[in-house]
Amino acid sequence: QKEVEQDPGPLSVPEGAIVSLNCTYSNSAFQYFMWYRQYSRKGPELLMYTYSSGNKEDGRFTAQVDKSSKYISLFIRDSQPSDSATYLCAMSTGNTGKLIFGQGTTLQVKP
Amino acid sequence: GAVVSQHPSRVICKSGTSVKIECRSLDFQATTMFWYRQFPKQSLMLMATSNEGSKATYEQGVEKDKFLINHASLTLSTLTVTSAHPEDSSFYICSAPVRDFPYEQYFGPGTRLTVT
């Protein structure tokens, strides 16, 4: 079993839809949870990070962490074609900086 | 956000040769940098942690004699793929954490290595 599981998709939605992306994990020691966006043939771009459980909102993006269920989510409201990319969740146990990534979910937002 | 650069962006080399990839933090200092490898449609796999002024720490299964890492300064880490083989062809990406926030990392644009 992988430490972090993420459905690779692809996920296709119409423009304006609400997108829900999810990851599950097995290591209860994870404390920091990140979401990255990666365009084709580019490096990942940090979208949001959250410490421990709870919600965090930034513009059209909302990150949720449920440590009791070992489940994290990223919601994208009013999705745009420019949101089409691969979204990677990543997790860390603490101050080492080592990140464990999910496989990434490919999202396509159709005009 | 912070900026990390990589050079070259693409490289093609012949089997048996060595290739050096540079990773630079442009507007901040990084005592630690990370090197990842990514296969098509797959996730990033951490290869090693590069430490300024000391030896790199390699993940299990990564050959340290094949993937040489040098963290020469607070803004530069290099990855040298020695005696490259076609199976080393991959997308190599480095990252650097913002000091005091090690989980907040910024990634370089990646280097596409093709070994013929």
Side-chain angles (χ1 to χ4, degrees), chain A residues 64-100:
Chain A
Q64 288 186 352
V65 175
D66 183 348
K67 292 191 71 179
S68 62
S69 301
K70 296 190 179 68
Y71 187 88
I72 71 170
S73 302
L74 177 70
F75 297 96
I76 307 174
R77 291 183 298 279
D78 187 25
S79 57
Q80 303 295 309
S82 58
D83 294 329
S84 299
T86 296
Y87 290 80
L88 297 141
C89 62
M91 307 181 187
S92 175
T93 57
N95 291 333
T96 65
K98 289 174 61 172
L99 301 182
I100 306 300

Side-chain angles (χ1 to χ4, degrees), chain A residues 40-56:
Chain A
S40 181
R41 301 173 187 263
K42 301 290 185 183
E45 169 195 0
L46 178 64
L47 283 176
M48 300 181 72
Y49 63 90
T50 310
Y51 172 70
S52 195
S53 286
N55 295 356
K56 188 173 184 179

Side-chain angles (χ1 to χ4, degrees), chain B:
Chain B
V3 179
V4 175
S5 70
Q6 272 183 252
H7 178 79
S9 58
R10 308 176 70 96
V11 58
I12 300 173
C13 70
K14 294 185 177 180
S15 285
T17 61
S18 295
V19 174
K20 180 186 284 188
I21 303 170
E22 292 186 350
C23 176
R24 293 180 185 273
S25 56
L26 298 185
D27 52 359
F28 66 103
Q29 295 182 329
T31 56
T32 302
M33 292 183 176
F34 299 92
W35 286 95
Y36 294 84
R37 184 173 180 177
Q38 186 177 34
F39 291 103
K41 298 188 186 296
Q42 294 191 27
S43 188
L44 283 77
M45 298 298 295
L46 179 64
M47 297 175 65
T49 303
S50 173
N51 304 298
E52 190 269 337
S54 63
K55 291 182 179 180
T57 306
Y58 291 82
E59 295 300 302
Q60 191 173 9
V62 177
E63 299 176 61
K64 59 183 179 183
D65 293 331
K66 180 167 188 60
F67 299 99
L68 300 179
I69 292 172
N70 182 27
H71 200 134
S73 73
L74 288 172
T75 59
L76 173 64
S77 175
T78 59
L79 168 68
T80 301
V81 183
T82 63
S83 187
H85 289 281
E87 56 263 33
D88 299 325
S89 299
S90 190
F91 194 51
Y92 292 88
I93 311 176
C94 68
S95 73
V98 175
R99 191 173 289 182
D100 296 333
F101 296 96
Y103 48 85
E104 185 178 348
Q105 294 190 26
Y106 292 88
F107 284 77
T111 296
R112 173 79 53 192
L113 170 64
T114 303
V115 184
T116 61

